[in-house]
Amino acid sequence: MSEYFHSVRLDEEKCKGCTNCIKHCPTEAIRVRKGRARIIEERCIDCGECIRVCPNQAKVAITDDLDSIKKYRYSIALPAPSFYGQFKPELTPEIVHAGLIALGFDSVFPVALAAEAVSRAIRNYLEQQRERPRPLISSACPAVVRLVQVRFPSLLEHIIPLVSPMEIAGRVAREAAHRQTGFGPEEIGVFFLTPCPAKVTEVKQPAGDSSSVDGAISMSVVYGNLLRMMDNLNTASLSPVVSGIGIGWGRAGGENEAIKTGSLLAVDGIHCVISVLEEIERGGLEDIDYLEAQACTGGCIGGCLVPQNPFVARVRMGNLARSRQRVESGHMFPAELDYYCRKSPVPARPALKLADDPALALMRLEEAEKIVAELPGLDCGSCGSPSCRALAEDIVQGYARRSYCIFELRRRLQQLAEEIVELAQKQPPAMGREWSPARDEGEEHD
Ligand code: SF4
Ligand code: SF4
């Protein structure tokens, strides 16, 4: 069995080997071989980019289904802040919560509440820990954390050692349900309504600490089920329970708006995140205190399991956040910073190195450089690797051959054709050709 869990999988039946996905993967985790895409498990960060770009819907995200909540005596829904932006303004967060209860959950605990509390914890951490390397990087987006593990392990010490709002929400919700119902913690099922596959993987195989959440259900699936029952809900007596500060986390820039201290930078979209991380590696952003980084363009409203157009969701969430600036909801969360700290550091997962042994890795690097210089440099992807450099690295590791390059293959075919033509022109003297010493014609004896 694989040591990695991944929410993002390939549907082999649908894959046509078109190579569209290989160039978009931020960790070069996809190869096309024998007409099908293959995901290199140790490299995949479950960012969902390949799901977005596959024209054949051959990349899918595996999530828990709604029936999973029946395995528990008591089930809690944790809607992500971005969930509220999916609905028209008249369907307020409180009405959405009522819908989730009607759908079968026993209670609802908004992650936005925890986001507000985590914002305070980040603010305190930034003010107290001034000697920590700058900028500190948000730990909220699991795809970004995994990107750092795989591609930027030297930046791991920059990841703020605080857990995400989803984890705090899961922990506080379970503790509260245990107190209220008397059910044991294992009888209580906590389910995150997820905008993305990265959060599913974070729940199933967390990077470091264990997760306080039991499952992750696709936001799109829940949204479809909710809309079907909204008309029959009694929503007369609902008062606002979710604050604008926490809701803001669902879109790019919202986390920084909630932190409000120091010099803050926000970046969204995995390839833009990579540019900023490269700049941090070069030591160019030490004047920044904190980096909010989200793999999806626009933040979680741009996640690939989100049903609504992200531009529409962004406007709705902005309006919602502004209309709820006065709702204060963080009183049930502990104030001590310790409560929010990770127990274990995020480990490195340097899956891009050419060999474990440094001497061998160096040798392979030199060899790969030579091969790159001989390849056409077109990065066409026809070889099934994302770039000429990636093909060269695959070759030195024994995963590919030079003949995978169609230009190399054409060159060799031409060479072979020329040799065949040359050979065809040669006839032994016994077959009627006028004899002369071969050396007089500049030929070798053959
Ligand atoms: S989910 Fe992201 S990292 Fe994984 S294969 Fe797809 S594009 Fe690459
Ligand atoms: S930005 Fe949000 S939706 Fe996108 S991968 Fe990160 S956590 Fe998931």
Side-chain angles (χ1 to χ4, degrees), residues 347-381:
R349 207 173 100 190
L352 304 190
K353 58 187 182 184
L354 294 175
D356 287 337
D357 172 34
L360 180 60
L362 188 64
M363 214 173 75
R364 285 181 175 172
L365 182 65
E366 286 168 3
E367 209 184 320
E369 294 294 347
K370 279 189 209 142
I371 298 173
V372 170
E374 288 162 14
L375 291 174
L378 295 174
D379 294 338
C380 66

Side-chain angles (χ1 to χ4, degrees), residues 332-347:
M332 81 264 280
F333 293 89
E336 309 79 49
L337 195 52
D338 263 4
Y339 188 83
Y340 301 87
C341 288
R342 300 181 66 89
K343 304 223 168 0
S344 46
V346 178

Side-chain angles (χ1 to χ4, degrees), residues 15-70:
C15 179
K16 293 190 165 63
C18 67
T19 73
N20 265 309
C21 57
I22 60 175
K23 285 176 184 294
H24 291 83
C25 175
T27 53
E28 297 192 335
I30 311 174
R31 300 290 182 275
V32 173
R33 302 283 181 255
K34 297 186 180 163
R36 297 276 184 279
R38 301 271 176 266
I39 299 176
I40 304 170
E41 297 216 349
E42 59 268 35
R43 291 188 177 196
C44 176
I45 60 170
D46 290 281
C47 65
E49 281 296 293
C50 54
I51 296 181
R52 288 191 185 89
V53 300
C54 177
N56 304 305
Q57 288 79 49
K59 294 280 182 17
V60 291
I62 305 297
T63 62
D64 290 296
D65 58 30
L66 257 175
D67 279 345
S68 319
I69 68 177
K70 294 180 188 153

Side-chain angles (χ1 to χ4, degrees), residues 293 298 386 440:
D440 293 349

Side-chain angles (χ1 to χ4, degrees), residues 45-47 140-148 198-199 270 295:
I45 60 170
D46 290 281
C47 65
C141 174
V144 170
V145 171
R146 277 162 209 266
L147 176 70
V148 174
K199 288 281 193 191
I270 193 82

Side-chain angles (χ1 to χ4, degrees), residues 28-338:
E28 297 192 335
I30 311 174
R31 300 290 182 275
V32 173
R33 302 283 181 255
K34 297 186 180 163
R36 297 276 184 279
R38 301 271 176 266
I39 299 176
I40 304 170
E41 297 216 349
E42 59 268 35
R43 291 188 177 196
C44 176
I45 60 170
D46 290 281
C47 65
E49 281 296 293
C50 54
I51 296 181
R52 288 191 185 89
V53 300
C54 177
N56 304 305
Q57 288 79 49
K59 294 280 182 17
V60 291
I62 305 297
T63 62
D64 290 296
D65 58 30
L66 257 175
D67 279 345
S68 319
I69 68 177
K70 294 180 188 153
K71 289 190 223 146
Y72 295 87
R73 287 185 77 184
Y74 189 90
S75 62
I76 307 171
L78 304 183
S82 50
F83 195 44
Y84 305 115
Q86 310 308 308
F87 300 91
K88 288 183 176 163
E90 56 272 25
L91 293 179
T92 64
E94 291 70 29
I95 296 177
V96 169
H97 293 175
L100 290 170
I101 300 291
L103 212 52
F105 289 99
D106 293 298
S107 68
V108 178
F109 193 101
V111 174
L113 296 185
E116 193 182 328
V118 172
S119 306
R120 282 194 296 273
I122 295 172
R123 194 181 312 136
N124 292 343
Y125 191 90
L126 290 176
E127 285 165 2
Q128 288 171 24
Q129 303 285 330
R130 295 194 182 276
E131 76 291 354
R132 285 295 309 269
R134 292 300 204 248
L136 286 164
I137 301 169
S138 170
S139 63
C141 174
V144 170
V145 171
R146 277 162 209 266
L147 176 70
V148 174
Q149 285 182 284
V150 169
R151 196 166 156 175
F152 298 93
S154 68
L155 298 183
L156 280 171
E157 60 171 351
H158 286 255
I159 293 181
I160 195 162
L162 304 180
V163 296
S164 69
M166 176 187 78
E167 288 299 334
I168 293 295
R171 198 187 296 170
V172 172
R174 194 187 302 274
E175 286 162 2
H178 171 58
R179 278 195 306 275
Q180 281 162 18
T181 64
F183 292 142
E186 67 294 338
E187 295 177 297
I188 300 168
V190 180
F191 290 88
F192 181 62
L193 310 187
T194 183
C196 67
K199 288 281 193 191
V200 183
T201 300
E202 181 60 7
V203 166
K204 306 287 179 188
Q205 194 175 58
D209 296 356
S210 60
S211 179
S212 63
V213 179
D214 299 301
I217 304 174
S218 165
M219 201 179 265
S220 290
V221 170
V222 179
Y223 175 83
N225 281 284
L226 265 186
L227 280 193
R228 280 194 282 279
M229 61 170 47
M230 279 304 191
D231 292 344
N232 306 322
L233 288 178
N234 178 3
T235 56
S237 62
L238 297 172
S239 56
V241 293
V242 189
S243 81
I245 299 170
I247 288 174
W249 272 63
R251 69 195 202 290
E255 181 180 344
N256 280 356
E257 274 170 30
I259 296 168
K260 284 193 207 126
T261 191
S263 159
L264 310 171
L265 176 66
V267 57
D268 57 291
I270 193 82
H271 295 288
C272 298
V273 170
I274 288 171
S275 313
V276 172
L277 293 179
E278 284 171 346
E279 187 59 23
I280 297 176
E281 248 186 351
R282 288 192 289 268
L285 293 177
E286 283 163 4
D287 56 320
I288 304 289
D289 287 312
Y290 189 71
L291 175 69
E292 173 201 311
Q294 289 178 303
C296 297
T297 302
C300 295
I301 48 172
C304 60
L305 299 179
V306 162
Q308 188 54 267
N309 177 303
F311 296 98
V312 174
R314 184 172 181 85
V315 170
R316 286 181 180 167
M317 290 190 67
N319 293 340
L320 198 55
R322 269 191 298 282
S323 69
R324 288 170 178 242
Q325 275 170 350
R326 289 177 193 283
V327 181
E328 261 288 334
S329 49
H331 54 276
M332 81 264 280
F333 293 89
E336 309 79 49
L337 195 52
D338 263 4

